[in-house]
Amino acid sequence: MSYDPVFQAKIIPILNRAFSEAIGPVYDGRVYAYVAPPKAIYPLMIYHPQDGGGRRADAIGMNGWEGLMTFRSIDTTLAGAANKLISAAETLPTLTAVGYIIQVVFENPQYFPVERTSEGNYYTVGVLATVRVYKDE
Amino acid sequence: MASAKITVELSKLQSIQRGIDTAFSEGLSSAGSMIVELASQLAPKDTGDLSNSGESILTTPRMVEVSFGNGLSDSRAVVQEYGSVLMPAQPYLTPALRAVDIGLEVQKALKRIL
């Protein structure tokens, strides 16, 4: 079992790719890190780190990382946002990435106020999860 | 016939028990204040209203509530922490919560009592 000294620098692209592949089909590809593009099409999902980037969590010499992340499902109706979040959440416990073990443990739902814009109302249903990534050998 | 007698002094144990509740409250209050202070520093700043809106309240002897957005007329506290459709999140409260060792603050308070 070899220890990867640059493992922590690989976490963000590993997760971006894994989330895009797993959750993308639920939102027809509209899964974004941090923020949606201007004039986005809904429904969509935005995810981001909630705790400033997590921390190294090596286990018995095996590379590891752990962090708290927020997943926000956004749609023009509350039911739409909620139903999509459930479908997306169901893909996360079996998240995979070649060469890595990824664990997603849901912590709690998160309330978001309705966003009223000139283009209409947007409803967000969110959930926080602890995400762990380990190097798999 | 020899006999043995054991006398147990409970008054100090009872005062320790009372002290434990006090220590928990002191430790939690201390940790809550530290979280507010750190989150205030981490909060995005424009007018400074969000940064100054933090509050830590001991709701029960064993529970402290830290909140931001107090006195503000909008939901910027939530939006900055979790983002919106138009802007990315800039978490300030969760990182502060993770950075403060609440257990250590309670432990320090317990040591003062004991």
Side-chain angles (χ1 to χ4, degrees):
Chain A
M1 187 179 296
S2 62
Y3 189 81
D4 183 355
V6 299
F7 175 79
Q8 299 299 323
K10 299 177 181 177
I11 294 300
I12 292 175
I14 290 169
L15 288 178
N16 285 348
R17 192 160 45 244
F19 292 147
S20 177
E21 289 175 0
I23 305 174
V26 176
Y27 294 91
D28 295 327
R30 295 185 299 275
V31 177
Y32 308 107
Y34 300 103
V35 68
K39 301 194 186 302
I41 298 170
Y42 295 86
L44 57 83
M45 167 161 284
I46 299 172
Y47 63 88
H48 65 262
Q50 191 59 45
D51 61 356
R55 64 182 184 92
R56 182 165 58 92
D58 295 346
I60 318 174
M62 184 168 70
N63 290 102
W65 171 88
E66 174 181 290
L68 185 68
M69 300 196 72
T70 299
F71 297 87
R72 295 189 280 136
S73 178
I74 307 173
D75 201 356
T76 53
T77 67
L78 185 60
N83 290 336
K84 287 289 188 186
L85 179 66
I86 293 170
S87 299
E90 287 171 344
T91 71
L92 294 179
T94 54
L95 204 57
T96 59
V98 176
Y100 302 95
I101 300 167
I102 303 177
Q103 296 174 350
V104 178
V105 178
F106 294 106
E107 299 291 347
N108 57 273
Q110 177 59 46
Y111 162 79
F112 291 86
V114 178
E115 295 182 62
R116 304 179 197 281
T117 74
S118 56
E119 294 163 0
N121 293 345
Y122 296 101
Y123 299 83
T124 302
V125 180
V127 67
L128 273 69
T130 296
V131 180
R132 298 185 179 93
V133 182
Y134 299 103
K135 188 180 175 196
D136 185 17
E137 287 196 5
Chain B
M1 187 166 80
S3 64
K5 186 166 80 171
I6 298 175
T7 302
V8 178
E9 173 60 55
L10 289 178
S11 61
K12 288 194 175 168
L13 273 175
Q14 288 165 343
S15 79
I16 287 173
Q17 186 175 23
R18 284 191 295 273
I20 286 174
D21 285 339
T22 303
F24 264 94
S25 297
E26 284 182 10
L28 288 175
S29 291
S30 173
S33 297
M34 292 169 72
I35 292 170
V36 169
E37 173 62 31
L38 182 56
S40 294
Q41 294 176 32
L42 296 173
K45 290 174 184 56
D46 182 10
T47 62
D49 289 344
L50 175 62
S51 183
N52 294 328
S53 71
E55 201 172 82
S56 171
I57 298 175
L58 196 69
T59 54
T60 74
R62 303 258 176 146
M63 187 177 296
V64 65
E65 182 180 283
V66 174
S67 60
F68 273 77
N70 301 290
L72 300 181
S73 60
D74 52 33
S75 56
R76 78 186 80 168
V78 174
V79 173
Q80 293 292 354
E81 181 71 12
Y82 293 104
S84 73
V85 294
L86 298 174
M87 56 178 276
Q90 299 182 78
Y92 56 95
L93 188 50
T94 306
L97 173 64
R98 293 270 167 136
V100 173
D101 191 338
I102 298 170
L104 180 62
E105 294 306 308
V106 172
Q107 192 179 61
K108 289 195 292 192
L110 279 167
K111 283 184 177 171
R112 285 194 295 272
I113 300 290
L114 300 174

